[in-house]
Amino acid sequence: MAPPDVRALIFDVFGTVVDWRGSIIAQCAAFGSARGIERDWDAFADAWRGKYQPFMNKVRTGELPWTNLDALHRMSLEEVLTEYGIEGLSEDEKREVNFFWHNLRPWADSVPGLYRLKQRYIIATMSNGNIALMTNMAKNGGLPWDAILGAEVAHHYKPDPESYLTTVELLGLRPEQVMMTAAHQGDLLSAQKVGLKSGFVPRPMEHGPDRTPDPTPDPSFDIVATDFTDLARQMGV
């Protein structure tokens, strides 16, 4: 049953709404093929994503001033290119590769599930991605957000409490009227700490077929759904 009083669902995006890994691998492989660059693009994508949290931590700890995710991705790209021995790319080519994050493809159930949820609820991003990144991804992937919110608006990366609470405030709602929706249990547990409801939608293929998915759902979650269509059904849409 849908938790009472919920008026909005806010969503983690990378991994929950879109297949970041498959999308980055495909785009990097096409880029490399066009230039005669052969690498293990699966490993390249994993290595690039592996720098996501460490670079955000530089902002959280004050080592870097507020820096949006596009800029952090660009910094980490330099490291990954060096690690994989990819040399000689122009600045335009590096910008092109960095822009791959703007073109991540949704999971098959994401768009139809979001359209169903949108009939009754406000649906918005609650992502560490910056607004330009989220806007382009929505345009490219057909994601029907009512609002694009998250870390850049709050100038705090998840799981900082300010990231969740700024989104709630900007929607004009109370925490208990908002459900954080994610495939990552830590994200949901952090949102719960500041009063939000929680919807868990596991994505067992987020890290590929050889990685163990998120374990058994925490019993505190308000909703556990198999995909966004099931989430919509459980939310009464």
Side-chain angles (χ1 to χ4, degrees):
M1 295 291 293
D5 300 326
V6 168
R7 294 179 56 191
L9 283 79
I10 60 175
F11 290 80
D12 170 73
V13 176
F14 298 110
T16 301
V17 179
V18 298
D19 174 15
W20 65 263
R21 186 176 189 269
S23 302
I24 293 295
I25 291 169
Q27 292 177 92
C28 285
F31 178 90
S33 177
R35 290 160 180 80
I37 303 171
E38 295 184 7
R39 295 293 187 279
D40 182 345
W41 297 113
D42 293 33
F44 184 94
D46 291 337
W48 197 3
R49 180 64 173 181
K51 297 181 184 295
Y52 175 72
Q53 288 294 344
F55 270 84
M56 286 191 297
N57 279 336
K58 293 176 185 285
V59 177
R60 294 188 188 107
T61 61
E63 182 179 343
L64 286 175
W66 171 256
T67 306
N68 73 25
L69 192 59
D70 267 340
L72 295 181
H73 276 153
R74 180 66 178 80
M75 294 176 194
S76 59
L77 175 61
E78 288 290 347
E79 291 189 0
V80 182
L81 291 173
T82 298
E83 290 167 7
Y84 279 78
I86 300 173
E87 300 176 345
L89 297 185
S90 68
E91 287 302 313
D92 284 346
E93 287 174 320
K94 291 176 183 178
R95 279 192 291 271
E96 179 184 347
V97 173
N98 206 50
F99 199 80
F100 290 168
W101 293 98
H102 291 231
N103 195 32
L104 306 184
R105 309 315 298 169
W107 299 109
D109 57 276
S110 292
V111 172
L114 288 173
Y115 269 105
R116 282 181 60 177
L117 289 161
K118 186 182 174 76
Q119 294 175 37
R120 179 173 296 183
Y121 301 97
I122 296 166
I123 58 170
T125 65
M126 179 58 243
S127 173
N128 285 327
N130 48 293
I131 293 171
L133 192 165
M134 289 290 109
T135 301
N136 288 327
M137 190 191 302
K139 191 73 171 177
N140 293 335
L143 301 168
W145 304 120
D146 293 313
I148 292 177
L149 301 169
E152 188 173 36
V153 178
H155 276 205
H156 283 272
Y157 284 116
K158 296 186 294 182
D160 290 358
E162 295 91 343
S163 63
Y164 304 104
L165 292 175
T166 299
T167 293
V168 171
E169 178 184 358
L170 290 172
L171 290 174
L173 299 172
R174 301 186 305 275
E176 66 271 18
Q177 294 178 305
V178 179
M179 175 181 283
M180 181 67 203
T181 311
H184 312 118
Q185 300 202 44
D187 200 352
L188 297 178
L189 294 170
S190 295
Q192 283 183 329
K193 289 178 182 177
V194 292
L196 280 70
K197 301 300 184 183
S198 53
F200 181 53
V201 184
R203 296 297 191 185
M205 290 299 292
E206 177 183 0
H207 297 283
D210 300 324
R211 291 279 296 275
T212 303
D214 222 348
T216 303
D218 191 284
S220 67
F221 295 154
D222 296 285
I223 295 285
V224 176
T226 56
D227 58 20
F228 279 14
T229 302
D230 184 40
L231 175 64
R233 179 189 63 79
Q234 293 194 51
M235 294 300 293
V237 185

